[in-house]
Amino acid sequence: FKWGWLFAWGLVMGLVMLVHVLTAAVAPTTWRDVVTLVLANMTVGVYAVRARAPIAAALGGARTFKEAGSVALRHGKLDMSVSQYDAGATSAAELRAMAWKLNARAMRLGRELQAACRNNAAIVLLKQKEWDKAEEACSQALYSLGADGEPLSRAKALYRRAVARLKQGHMATARADLRAAHALQPTDREVEGLLLLLQHGEERRREGVRRADWHEGPQAGRADLRGLAEPARPEEADEGDADEERGEGLDDHLVLDRLLGRRRLLRRR
């Protein structure tokens, strides 16, 4: 619970005892007063225990569902694994409704459990090639963690979301996610390597565009002037352009094929 609630109850009990002490000469404390104070404290204790029950149930349920999802994943039951992870995230999310009585540590634990379930579900969804659902799971994990969440968990979610976005062809947003993940984990070689691969692919595409513009500009003009005396050989130019296109496509496929081979940031927590 929040320490403020315990402090408030202690303050109330202190004031009650102070009143009894100050008024002892006029109205001495009787056994009825003592019994009333004892019963009041017992009542507060019972309500405190009962209030802790749903908190413990939410945390325990999240952990149980998370472990069940991991077991299902190890046995190759991907659909069941996703459903268990989703149930764990839902159970951990119930703590948000109890935020008024929880301390910062309990709230942080609930957010981390919820993010872990979403992060693990993203792994399974990537295996199933459900790119849009994997992206959504990672976004939910990042929302649960918040801007002050654990850097490694946020880096994992950003990396996996970048994979999902790349598979959908969203290069710009995927690159932004990778840069954010690199800022959180600057020594991670996988994130850095993937950023370099994307940069290399972008450079190849720009180089292909420049070459295409150059061929369509002055080269085409000179070929027209030569006319029939020196006939152009378009089939050779087409073959060269095709080689460039095949090279660029190979770079893109190389990037995408290596994405799911990355292990450390794609591992379950």
Side-chain angles (χ1 to χ4, degrees), residues 229-265:
E230 195 173 330
R233 297 201 268 179
E235 60 275 0
E236 293 183 2
D238 292 342
E239 183 179 356
D241 292 340
D243 289 339
E244 283 294 325
E245 291 176 1
R246 283 195 296 269
E248 293 169 16
L250 180 62
D251 286 340
D252 292 341
H253 285 296
L254 181 63
V255 170
L256 297 180
D257 289 341
R258 290 184 180 179
L259 289 176
L260 294 181
R262 310 279 171 184
R263 294 297 180 190
R264 192 166 73 83
L265 287 185

Side-chain angles (χ1 to χ4, degrees), residues 22 57 163 251:
L22 294 177
V163 172
D251 286 340

